[in-house]
Amino acid sequence: MARIQTPNRVRGTQDIFGAEQRRFAEVLDTFERVRRLYCFGRVDVPVFEATEVFARSIGETTDVVSKEMYTFPDKGGDSLTLRPEFTAGIARAYITEGWQQFAPLKLVTAGAVFRYERPQKGRYRQFHQIDAEILGAPEPSADVELLCLADQLLRELGIADGVTLQLNTLGDAETRDAWRAALVAHFERHRGDLSEDSIARLDKNPLRILDSKDPRDRPIADAAPGIDAHMTVEAGAFFESVTKGLDAAGGAWTRNERLVRGLDYYRHTAFEFVTDRLGAQGTVLGGGRYDGLVENLGGPATAGVGWAAGVERLAMLIDEPAAERPDVAVVAENRDREEDAGALTSALRRAGIAAEPFVTGSPRKRFGKAMERKPAAIVSLDVRDGARTHSFKLLDEAFAGAAQARTIFEQHTAA
């Protein structure tokens, strides 16, 4: 019979296991712990949406929409897209599910997102993000709270020392319009020297030229006018409130006047937490204020601010967590004691004690395998000279459940 050929893992996806999975879980567990400290609620949104949700929110001129989305027709002929990010789906739900009544709404979510791009270190076609949003809060204090949440997350992951918060303002609508006009005039004077991508962006998305990586664009972008010369008094006061709030909370930051978001519904604060420990892909967390997004999707004018971070990139930066171990290892060193081991293990688990039975393989090797798991305590169940024998040995004096575990052991071996 011909050998069955096993399909390979799809390019740009990953099977997460072992030490890598422990890092991954540590990021998610820490995120869950920190979001509780900040009183953010959990939300889950669909993995796929109508394509229009992302085309109207991310922008048809962006690389994500024009080149990277996984879009397909369903059997009914509707165009659907696997989510490339979370904010658009949350904004859509805010409108369609009537969540305006709960504003201001503080939410987090996490899960897989999908982008068709060239896989590289820390970047996949199916990857994972954590995401935090505040909807319905126009005050700069919302920006400060989200930035503090991000900062505390990085601190509790143990990577804050290697990460810098870069902060900028995109101003209000009046500021952006004036700045955009100045940028267009500047880039038009250098149209003949711009890259093809930047020429395409000049008419629809000129701010994106500022963060171009093409060597032809960099001297022109670096010489472009800054936003501060076009800042309204109100926009300047908003940014000052954000920076003062960060200072009061003990958050360190640096100004990056070239940090932008290309779409018109972005307002005021833009930020990225960056590191030099991941090579060229230095951003580990980024976001900003998007006061026009909900309205752009057909909802009421609604303030919004949020951020997202790649779980894989954060996991690459943290120390490897210790492997999980059982509180109690229960070893049946004789086949006649296997049922006893199962009963004792079940009793320990019902009492909230992590227990693992060792009842498979060679009985004489089971004790050694149990010790390899480095349990806090180990139970041996055996039969010698026709008599049932048993022992309980504490291996870690710091094990808080030792007394309870010993009591359960004695109850099960008393007969």
Side-chain angles (χ1 to χ4, degrees):
M1 187 174 71
R3 182 177 179 271
I4 297 174
Q5 182 66 42
T6 302
N8 290 324
R9 173 170 50 81
V10 176
R11 185 169 185 252
T13 63
Q14 51 187 326
D15 300 309
I16 306 170
F17 177 74
E20 188 178 9
Q21 176 58 51
R22 291 195 294 274
R23 291 175 182 268
F24 197 92
E26 179 68 15
V27 172
L28 295 178
D29 290 347
T30 304
F31 181 53
E32 174 67 14
R33 185 171 67 251
V34 174
R35 75 93 184 166
R36 289 178 179 272
L37 295 176
Y38 284 74
C39 302
F40 276 62
R42 281 292 308 248
V43 66
D44 290 292
V45 292
V47 172
F48 55 85
E49 298 268 3
T51 300
E52 189 178 14
V53 170
F54 302 114
R56 290 170 61 182
S57 60
I58 302 175
E60 295 184 8
T61 62
T62 64
D63 288 345
V64 172
V65 171
S66 63
K67 301 177 182 178
E68 298 173 4
M69 292 201 316
Y70 279 91
T71 297
F72 57 94
D74 69 0
K75 292 184 178 181
D78 296 323
S79 179
L80 303 179
T81 296
L82 296 177
R83 64 188 182 205
E85 51 94 57
F86 281 108
T87 306
I90 293 173
R92 189 273 309 154
Y94 182 83
I95 301 167
T96 60
E97 304 301 326
W99 292 350
Q100 300 95 312
Q101 62 183 309
F102 304 115
L105 195 56
K106 305 196 307 183
L107 298 171
V108 302
T109 192
V113 288
F114 306 84
R115 296 187 187 183
Y116 189 88
E117 55 185 346
R118 184 172 63 85
Q120 54 186 286
K121 182 180 180 181
R123 176 175 285 182
Y124 302 89
R125 291 175 176 174
Q126 176 182 319
F127 57 104
H128 301 79
Q129 283 187 342
I130 52 177
D131 182 277
E133 313 281 350
I134 300 180
L135 288 161
E139 300 83 5
S141 58
D143 307 49
V144 175
E145 183 170 22
L146 271 171
L147 286 164
C148 288
L149 188 158
D151 182 73
Q152 184 158 351
L153 171 68
L154 299 178
R155 290 181 185 278
E156 298 207 9
L157 286 171
I159 61 176
D161 290 343
V163 177
T164 301
L165 168 59
Q166 295 186 356
L167 193 66
N168 196 24
T169 176
L170 304 177
D172 51 19
E174 183 180 345
T175 300
R176 279 181 65 102
D177 288 345
W179 187 34
R180 188 181 191 278
L183 288 174
V184 170
H186 170 77
F187 291 130
E188 281 287 0
R189 291 195 295 271
H190 300 277
R191 176 185 282 269
D193 299 317
L194 292 171
S195 67
E196 293 78 6
D197 284 345
S198 289
I199 291 173
R201 289 169 176 165
L202 183 52
D203 294 329
K204 295 183 178 180
N205 213 346
L207 270 66
R208 290 288 312 281
I209 302 175
L210 291 175
D211 57 12
S212 171
K213 303 298 188 295
D214 193 300
R216 290 172 290 179
D217 298 328
R218 284 315 324 153
I220 304 170
D222 291 340
I227 192 173
D228 288 355
H230 306 280
M231 192 80 63
T232 64
V233 173
E234 294 79 9
F238 190 100
F239 188 56
E240 184 179 13
S241 293
V242 172
T243 57
K244 284 185 175 180
L246 273 175
D247 292 340
W253 59 277
T254 61
R255 177 79 186 276
N256 179 358
E257 296 184 22
R258 288 298 185 258
L259 178 59
V260 297
R261 298 287 184 265
L263 302 177
D264 288 342
Y265 57 73
Y266 280 103
R267 302 283 191 273
H268 297 297
T269 315
F271 57 89
E272 291 182 356
F273 288 81
V274 299
T275 180
D276 59 3
R277 293 164 57 191
L278 292 175
Q281 302 300 327
T283 301
V284 295
L285 185 153
R289 178 164 283 275
Y290 49 85
D291 287 354
L293 174 58
V294 172
E295 191 173 5
N296 206 49
L297 285 171
T302 304
V305 60
W307 57 254
V311 177
E312 284 84 354
R313 291 191 186 182
L314 292 174
M316 290 166 64
L317 294 171
I318 67 173
D319 294 333
E320 181 180 337
E324 292 183 359
R325 67 173 188 174
D327 293 330
V328 180
V330 182
V331 184
E333 297 191 75
N334 186 289
R335 298 192 191 280
D336 292 338
R337 302 301 304 274
E338 290 173 1
E339 289 185 4
D340 296 335
L344 175 55
T345 301
S346 295
L348 290 166
R349 289 168 172 170
R350 285 194 295 269
I353 297 170
E356 184 174 3
F358 291 82
V359 294
T360 61
S362 170
R364 63 187 180 85
K365 294 182 179 180
R366 293 173 185 172
F367 192 91
K369 290 182 177 180
M371 290 296 290
E372 290 175 359
R373 296 281 283 121
K374 299 180 180 179
I378 190 164
V379 169
S380 172
L381 305 176
D382 204 350
V383 176
R384 296 184 182 178
D385 300 327
R388 289 152 44 104
T389 63
H390 35 261
S391 66
F392 179 100
K393 185 174 183 180
L394 181 64
L395 303 174
D396 184 353
E397 296 291 340
F399 173 35
Q404 184 183 19
R406 186 184 292 275
T407 298
I408 296 171
F409 160 75
E410 291 172 349
Q411 291 172 345
H412 276 258
T413 57

